[in-house]
Amino acid sequence: MNTNANAAFQPQPSQHHKLSKLQVLRRAFFLTFGAAFMSVGLEIFLVPNNIIDGGIVGISIIASHLTQVPLGIYLLLLNLPFLAIGYKQIGKTFAVSTLYAVAIMSIGTTLLHPIPPITIDPLLAAVFGGIILGIGVGMVIRSGGSLDGTEIVAILFSKKSAFSVGEIVMFLNLFILGSAGFVFGWDRAMYSLIAYFIAFKMIDITIEGFDESRAVWIISENHERIGASIMQRLGRGVTYLNGEGAFTGDSKKVIFCVVTRLEEAKLKTIVDELDPSAFLAVGNIHDVKGGRFKKKDIH
């Protein structure tokens, strides 16, 4: 867990005490609403239509269906061992945030269970349930917590195997979602895959936002004109890096800048206008902080 996240739950010097309280309140707010969204997605959409999610949540839904024990109990009990592991592996802030979010989710599913579902159409339930689940999980992750212990298991296994965390999570979830076919029928297993995929994409959107950032590298003989045009027409700062061609040994200037997804097309137009043969590389960025990324006013 990063230093800023830990600061939210650790004592701060007196001059930063007010800020620390605001950080804690903000985190609690998003953890609460994220877990509440997760509860709505489960009990109002997925569970009544025998559609499951991946991870511990999916296992809890299957176990609750087979034993008739309330879903909230399984959600809390099955996550507790992984919370203890997460406390040792990731840190106190993560464990406290996750425990709080899981507790809210467990209480929420218990309170919402008597409420009838909004729809009994499995496709609508999978689509809208997946959207709401993804938003809820994304809010919790952005606040430094988690609603599922599967990722912690994957981190531990990845250290002792040749598989990555993502590959282990995918394998576990495919196994869990496949199990739904034996319990609820194979059509429900396929609807579960739809819900899982939609939730997965919504998590990305919630964490990164619609206004995603792009890192751009440009190599051109006209680097000064291109850099000046980017600053003037897009209002973005640029940085000139010193580079050297490995094959020719020639020194080159590399333009580096960060733009939003919506500005990417305009930036490419600028480069094409000034140097159609320029080398251009664009990559996704998950987070941008500091520097002069904040857009300047263009007059």
Side-chain angles (χ1 to χ4, degrees), residues 1 83-91 94 152 155-156 159:
M1 187 58 60
L83 286 175
I85 298 172
Y87 180 86
K88 296 179 180 179
Q89 296 292 325
I90 303 177
F94 171 80
I152 301 174
I155 292 172
L156 295 178
K159 294 179 179 179

Side-chain angles (χ1 to χ4, degrees), residues 217-224 239-244 250-256 279:
W217 295 266
I218 306 165
I219 301 177
S220 170
E221 297 296 332
N222 297 325
H223 56 273
E224 292 184 356
T239 300
Y240 295 120
L241 307 175
N242 293 318
E244 181 179 333
D250 296 337
S251 60
K252 299 178 181 294
K253 285 291 186 180
V254 180
I255 302 172
F256 174 77
F279 173 83

Side-chain angles (χ1 to χ4, degrees), residues 101-124:
V102 170
I104 294 296
M105 177 178 63
S106 301
I107 295 171
T109 55
T110 302
L111 295 177
L112 292 172
H113 184 71
I115 299 176
I118 291 179
T119 179
I120 57 173
D121 185 310
L123 181 58
L124 290 176

Side-chain angles (χ1 to χ4, degrees), residues 130-176:
I131 291 173
I132 295 174
L133 248 66
I135 294 174
V137 174
M139 291 174 67
V140 171
I141 292 175
R142 285 195 66 163
S143 303
S146 176
L147 288 170
D148 197 289
T150 307
E151 290 80 4
I152 301 174
V153 175
I155 292 172
L156 295 178
F157 274 101
S158 67
K159 294 179 179 179
K160 300 179 181 180
S161 69
F163 299 101
S164 68
V165 174
E167 290 170 338
I168 295 172
V169 169
M170 182 181 67
F171 174 79
L172 292 173
N173 284 332
L174 286 177
F175 176 78
I176 294 168

Side-chain angles (χ1 to χ4, degrees), residues 10-30:
Q10 293 177 354
Q12 299 293 314
S14 57
Q15 62 268 30
H16 298 298
H17 186 62
K18 184 177 181 180
L19 179 62
S20 179
K21 282 185 176 181
L22 291 175
Q23 289 176 334
V24 173
L25 290 174
R26 182 178 184 276
R27 174 168 298 200
F29 175 83
F30 284 107

Side-chain angles (χ1 to χ4, degrees), residues 55-108:
I56 300 300
V57 175
I59 297 174
S60 299
I61 294 174
I62 294 175
S64 176
H65 176 79
L66 295 176
T67 62
Q68 300 304 310
V69 174
L71 174 61
I73 294 178
Y74 280 113
L75 290 173
L76 183 60
L77 292 181
L78 293 181
N79 273 297
L80 284 178
F82 304 109
L83 286 175
I85 298 172
Y87 180 86
K88 296 179 180 179
Q89 296 292 325
I90 303 177
K92 178 181 177 181
T93 300
F94 171 80
V96 171
S97 300
T98 301
L99 177 61
Y100 176 77
V102 170
I104 294 296
M105 177 178 63
S106 301
I107 295 171

